[in-house]
Amino acid sequence: MNTGHFLFRLFFTGLVVFCTFRCTNYSTTASVQAPPTLISIVNNGNSNFILKVRAQNPEFIFQGYRIYSGTTEALAQNPPDLNLGAECFLAQAAIVQPIEYTFEVDPSTNPNTAGVSCRIFTTLITGTYISMRTLGLSVNLQDSTRTFRVSIPSNTLIVP
């Protein structure tokens, strides 16, 4: 075995052990995600809507978006339970790049239409309000649990 390779592996192993047991300089404050901006919503017929959204995915913990609907603007932006919305996970999203997304909101399990970033499987009702929030991954280092942390709400649009 090469001595240089052995010493490098020994140093790296020692560094990992040191960081695991001695490094306590990490933040317990959750990162704040920026909310998206809803641009437009168009009815394509048959409960199928195209939603244009402008957003920036600021960190590697970015996971996607969650859409909420309600009979009033306040209910769409502040639902009683933040877990009740429909998600869209964007695995291939560009980090730290402002981008305009095209979402297809449709309750069916059809594949995405060409040019659509993501399909959100939910039903929207004409005349209701919609809002979105950014989903970020939140990891508790003490018990190794993972949850989603949601941003503040976006603006609202009325479903046509």
Side-chain angles (χ1 to χ4, degrees):
M1 179 190 261
N2 185 345
T3 306
H5 182 68
F6 172 75
L7 290 175
F8 174 76
R9 288 178 58 188
L10 181 65
F11 171 76
F12 185 74
T13 303
L15 182 64
V16 168
V17 169
F18 176 78
C19 287
T20 302
F21 295 107
R22 299 291 294 164
C23 290
T24 57
N25 244 358
Y26 56 87
S27 174
T28 57
T29 304
S31 175
V32 176
Q33 297 286 317
T37 302
L38 304 182
I39 304 299
S40 67
I41 185 167
V42 177
N43 188 341
N44 283 354
N46 301 328
S47 301
N48 184 345
F49 295 90
I50 297 295
L51 178 63
K52 297 271 187 181
V53 176
R54 191 166 293 132
Q56 181 175 356
N57 312 319
E59 300 189 30
F60 71 93
I61 64 172
F62 168 78
Q63 298 294 298
Y65 298 98
R66 187 175 287 160
I67 190 170
Y68 301 93
S69 63
T71 54
T72 66
E73 186 175 359
L75 282 175
Q77 288 186 319
N78 302 301
D81 183 357
L82 292 177
N83 295 316
L84 294 179
E87 288 108 5
C88 176
F89 298 108
L90 296 169
Q92 74 281 6
I95 305 297
V96 190
Q97 295 297 316
I99 189 169
E100 188 168 297
Y101 290 110
T102 301
F103 295 115
E104 192 165 19
V105 183
D106 188 358
S108 73
T109 56
N110 296 333
N112 285 351
T113 305
V116 171
S117 305
C118 191
R119 180 179 283 261
I120 302 173
F121 300 103
T122 191
T123 301
L124 296 178
I125 300 168
T126 300
T128 60
Y129 293 82
I130 60 167
S131 177
M132 289 186 96
R133 292 176 184 246
T134 303
L135 293 174
L137 187 62
S138 177
V139 178
N140 185 336
L141 297 176
Q142 294 173 338
D143 61 6
S144 298
T145 57
R146 289 178 282 170
T147 58
F148 287 118
R149 180 159 174 87
V150 295
S151 70
I152 61 174
S154 70
N155 59 317
T156 60
L157 293 177
I158 298 175
V159 178

